[in-house]
Amino acid sequence: IAPRLTLRHRSGAPFDAFADEEAGRFQVLVFAGTLARPQAAAVVDAFTAARDALDELRVNVHLVLPAVEADRAGSAPFPVLADPDGAAFRLMGVPAGMGADGAAVLAIAPNCHVLLRLDAGAEGDPVAAVLDRIRPLAEKRKAAGVPSIHAPVLVVPDVLSPEDCRKLIGIYAMQGQEFVEPGHNQLQGRTTDCKMRIPEYGRNDRIDHWVCAPQTNNFIDSRLAPRLMPEIQKAFNYRVTRHERYRIACYEGYRGGSQHGHRDNSLPFVAHRRFAVTVNLNADEYEGAELRFPEFSEAAYKTPTGSAIVFSCSLLHEVMAMRSGRRFALLAFLFGET
């Protein structure tokens, strides 16, 4: 998620990529120590030449300058933002001032996630790189439809990287081969991972790997805390402070059992749960196992690898049968103080 930079418009008003007038569009911030030096000027000219393509993709471009340089900028081709204390330039690793010839580009998605950061002149054409990254995302946003009755779920992309996903699949394969009996409260005090068959309404295609090892818990926390929890608070106005043991679920083979959904907080010993999270770890390697919310529609949700789908534990939901392959997913139940 993009950091909140302490930038100001030349009017003195603060700039906020999360603000109503900025959020929901792609953002490109061009950091330049000064517009008087050739490299920075060339980058600005390149973005100016691509203005039509950027406008078509709904991209807002801003020039970020040190405060003194922002006052001298005159009529710039894009809105100018001042970095009053140099903190944003330090964060971006760009030198500032009349003697510095350097520029960097930060591209931010409409959900305020960082798409890329480039050092101008060191990594090819920054405008082409920005357009190559944004164009397929913009087309996907146009083409994506929603069910006529859409379940109140939150989808957050890029919570786990492809490398993170492979690491968790590797943990499932290599660690915790001891099976324990199904049931809640079976793992009190345990510090080593284990496996458990999950015969949910008689289904027999699911085995969960329970994450008990502290180092794996810490690894997952380090990804979910900065990338997912702020989005849950923003979308649902709820502060998550706690979670149950993480699980890595594996679905494979014939489902069996009763063909209907369930709720995750309907029994007294799980009534504390507020949100369920599923992060697909290998979405391109299997068919089936879509998530369905039958109270709302027959729509089947299958998020891309590394993306999280978050929903209230009170929603009736169902994991559909596998059709081919083997599915891995990170599962979490989240709650807080209320």
Side-chain angles (χ1 to χ4, degrees):
I1 300 172
R4 289 184 179 269
L5 303 173
T6 55
L7 302 175
R8 293 191 173 275
H9 295 277
R10 286 196 280 186
S11 66
F15 169 82
D16 185 0
F18 294 77
D20 292 349
E21 62 272 18
E22 303 291 350
R25 296 174 65 100
F26 293 98
Q27 305 285 333
V28 172
L29 303 181
V30 180
F31 286 77
T34 174
L35 297 181
R37 302 286 287 179
Q39 189 179 85
V43 173
V44 174
D45 289 344
F47 274 97
T48 303
R51 184 189 293 274
D52 289 344
L54 294 164
D55 288 345
E56 184 179 351
L57 296 173
R58 291 175 54 81
V59 179
N60 288 349
V61 179
H62 291 85
L63 304 182
V64 183
L65 302 172
V68 173
E69 293 296 313
D71 293 337
R72 297 172 178 166
S75 68
F78 299 104
V80 172
L81 302 175
D83 181 10
D85 58 5
F89 274 85
R90 289 192 294 272
L91 184 64
M92 289 291 291
V94 180
M98 284 298 294
D101 189 13
V105 176
L106 181 69
I108 303 172
N111 62 357
C112 290
H113 285 213
V114 173
L115 292 177
L116 54 81
R117 180 219 178 274
L118 299 171
D119 286 313
E123 302 179 54
D125 181 355
V127 177
V130 166
L131 291 174
D132 287 346
R133 185 72 176 93
I134 288 178
R135 187 172 281 116
L137 297 177
E139 292 303 315
K140 188 174 181 180
R141 282 167 61 83
K142 290 180 184 177
V146 295
S148 57
I149 303 176
H150 183 49
V153 302
L154 171 67
V155 177
V156 181
D158 302 324
V159 171
L160 297 179
S161 70
E163 294 76 17
D164 294 338
C165 294
R166 301 312 302 179
K167 176 174 180 174
L168 292 178
I169 293 173
I171 288 172
Y172 185 99
M174 302 301 295
Q175 300 180 20
Q177 304 307 322
E178 177 190 358
F179 275 79
V180 299
E181 289 298 316
H184 291 274
N185 302 317
Q186 300 294 316
L187 307 175
Q188 296 295 329
R190 190 180 182 101
T191 58
T192 55
D193 292 7
C194 59
K195 300 285 196 296
M196 180 187 291
R197 296 188 182 277
I198 309 296
E200 166 198 308
Y201 292 116
R203 72 184 304 155
N204 55 25
D205 61 347
R206 175 180 168 186
I207 296 175
D208 280 6
H209 175 104
W210 290 83
V211 177
C212 300
Q215 62 269 28
T216 307
N217 271 289
N218 293 339
F219 167 75
I220 298 172
D221 283 342
S222 74
R223 300 312 194 256
L224 268 55
R227 299 177 184 174
L228 180 63
M229 302 314 177
E231 300 285 44
I232 293 175
Q233 184 162 4
K234 179 169 64 177
F236 299 114
N237 196 28
Y238 185 87
R239 183 169 180 263
V240 173
T241 59
R242 304 169 70 185
H243 63 82
E244 293 186 7
R245 288 189 187 274
Y246 296 122
R247 313 182 197 184
I248 306 168
C250 177
Y251 292 82
E252 184 178 21
Y254 175 66
R255 170 181 168 168
S258 302
Q259 308 292 301
H260 61 78
H262 65 280
R263 305 179 197 276
D264 287 326
N265 64 353
S266 57
L267 298 175
F269 50 85
V270 291
H272 59 276
R273 294 172 174 172
R274 293 296 179 264
F275 295 100
V277 177
T278 299
V279 183
N280 283 334
L281 302 180
N282 64 330
D284 297 326
E285 299 175 3
Y286 65 88
E287 295 291 332
E290 299 92 348
L291 194 57
R292 188 170 71 97
F293 298 88
E295 291 175 306
F296 294 89
S297 74
E298 296 301 310
Y301 294 76
K302 182 181 179 181
T303 54
T305 297
S307 296
I309 185 168
V310 184
F311 54 94
S312 169
C313 287
S314 61
L315 294 185
L316 184 72
H317 60 282
E318 175 185 12
V319 178
M320 308 300 286
M322 293 291 296
R323 295 190 292 276
S324 66
R326 183 164 60 161
R327 177 208 186 200
F328 292 96
L330 174 66
L331 307 180
F333 293 111
L334 310 177
F335 55 103
E337 308 310 314
T338 58

